[in-house]
Amino acid sequence: MTKIINGKEISAQIKEEVKVRALAHRERGIVPTLAVILVGADPASAVYVRNKKKACEVCEIRSESYELPEETTEEALLELIDVLNGRADVDGILVQLPLPKHIDEDRVTQAILPEKDVDGFHPQNVGRLSMGLDGFVSCTPAGIIELLKRSEIEIAGKECVVVGRSNIVGKPMSMLLLRENGTVTVCHSRTKDLKTVTKRADILVAAIGKPKFFDASYVKEGAVVIDVGIHRMEDGHLCGDVDYEDVAPHTSAITPVPGGVGPMTIAMLMHNCVKSAEVYRK
Ligand code: NDP
């Protein structure tokens, strides 16, 4: 029987846990606070920012919103980050990506203090993850580990195959699976004979950004399949990188799209915010 991993339910549990922790802080007079910066008017980014603000409300985290015009200069954005870095009452700083072309995303990401880098994108946090040290971890892969653990799926000793090597999903995902003692293989667009590799996987993480790319021929019978992709089809439906209808019957567990990995990203952002308040504001 295939278990459908319910990301909506698990993310709601995590948000509830975050709320309890945030309320405990508030009782001591500390209000966990996230500063969210949006530059420009990209409609998808505006939706993401709105959802993050809503999640803050649910979790009793205060959100401060900075909606800047498209023509904002890199210097002006860096100045704002500098001010927020220096404010003791701000625990997390999030700059919604992508930024307009004239702004260097790497410079901006690296300007955020690692202690307030709740997205886990700063090189110091990336380095800490690869060394097995505590720090902030990129929210989507951190959410996937929570999905696996809370669904009682063992990672230790399992063949884990991650397809995709981006800095925000594939690479941190592979590091986290390694930290959980999985045997990890990372694939990408230059991998030869992808199918042979993915068919070895006990746990397959699909994060390539291609709708319904993985059909049943890529999957070992009884594998756990985690679908990170999210795409809106012409008919308005959402789908992932996995052809769910074809693959699901062959798996022991699978994440649906929507309602799988998606909701976990914001839940883990909330988790990182409250963690920042706990660690750095005593
Ligand atoms: P990127 O485009 O940054 O990376 C895609 C990766 O997939 C690259 O490493 C690329 O390889 C690899 N790839 C592309 N095509 C193939 C192929 N045919 N075979 C093997 N590997 C391939 O994407 P992201 O990591 O940012 O995102 C991946 C997906 O996850 C997207 O659909 C995105 O929308 C979704 N996403 C969902 C989130 C959520 O909250 N649910 C959050 C973040 C992302 P190479 O490096 O060689 O180019």
Side-chain angles (χ1 to χ4, degrees):
M1 255 272 288
T2 301
K3 179 187 177 80
I4 296 165
I5 300 174
N6 190 335
K8 246 177 141 172
E9 210 172 275
I10 296 173
S11 69
Q13 267 170 24
I14 291 173
K15 284 192 271 187
E16 190 52 39
E17 291 162 14
V18 169
K19 179 177 164 182
V20 170
R21 287 160 67 179
L23 283 171
H25 257 65
R26 281 177 180 255
E27 271 176 24
R28 297 195 290 120
I30 294 171
V31 181
T33 298
L34 172 68
V36 181
I37 306 174
L38 173 66
V39 185
D42 175 51
S45 292
V47 173
Y48 290 136
V49 165
R50 201 162 55 237
N51 289 341
K52 286 168 189 174
K53 285 196 272 189
K54 262 196 233 156
C56 282
E57 274 171 39
V58 170
C59 295
E60 297 285 344
I61 290 171
R62 193 171 74 84
S63 68
E64 256 184 38
S65 179
Y66 296 86
E67 288 171 22
L68 311 178
E70 178 84 22
E71 58 276 13
T72 302
T73 61
E74 187 175 299
E75 283 62 39
L77 178 56
L78 292 173
E79 266 169 41
L80 172 60
I81 291 171
D82 201 38
V83 170
L84 295 169
N85 277 341
R87 273 184 44 196
D89 62 336
V90 171
D91 302 289
I93 304 171
L94 181 148
V95 179
Q96 185 64 45
L97 302 180
L99 287 166
K101 299 240 172 317
H102 63 278
I103 299 180
D104 180 345
E105 282 186 1
D106 286 342
R107 267 192 86 190
V108 170
T109 304
Q110 291 173 30
I112 297 171
L113 267 187
E115 293 86 344
K116 300 191 181 196
D117 166 42
V118 285
D119 257 337
F121 294 165
H122 191 285
Q124 192 167 311
N125 282 317
V126 175
R128 294 184 73 82
L129 171 62
S130 71
M131 292 174 76
L133 301 172
D134 193 30
F136 292 117
V137 177
S138 181
C139 299
T140 303
I144 291 170
I145 295 293
E146 286 299 318
L147 282 181
L148 292 170
K149 286 189 171 172
R150 291 175 190 239
S151 304
E152 291 173 358
I153 293 166
E154 177 89 30
I155 303 170
K158 294 288 169 63
E159 285 281 348
C160 304
V161 175
V162 179
V163 194
R165 56 173 164 181
S166 70
N167 288 335
I168 62 167
V169 184
K171 282 183 198 155
M173 186 75 253
S174 62
M175 284 298 162
L176 285 170
L177 289 165
L178 191 58
R179 190 161 90 180
E180 297 297 328
N181 301 311
T183 302
V184 183
T185 306
V186 185
C187 302
H188 45 76
S189 66
R190 310 282 288 272
T191 297
K192 293 219 162 60
D193 199 2
L194 181 63
K195 236 177 235 190
T196 307
V197 184
T198 58
K199 278 196 89 111
R200 286 208 309 259
D202 299 313
I203 299 175
L204 174 64
V205 180
I208 67 169
K210 303 231 158 88
K212 297 191 182 184
F213 180 93
F214 296 92
D215 62 19
S217 68
Y218 284 84
V219 178
K220 178 167 87 175
E221 202 65 32
V224 173
V225 174
I226 304 294
D227 190 354
V228 186
I230 182 152
H231 313 277
R232 192 166 292 280
M233 306 306 274
E234 275 176 10
D235 64 2
H237 277 88
L238 289 176
C239 78
D241 288 350
V242 174
D243 182 343
Y244 185 87
E245 307 301 328
D246 195 45
V247 170
H250 300 279
T251 64
S252 57
I254 187 166
T255 58
V257 177
V261 172
M264 296 302 291
T265 302
I266 291 188
M268 296 315 289
L269 174 69
M270 299 298 110
H271 168 270
N272 281 350
C273 287
V274 84
K275 174 177 165 175
S276 177
E278 284 169 359
V279 175
Y280 300 108
R281 277 217 271 167
K282 293 196 173 126

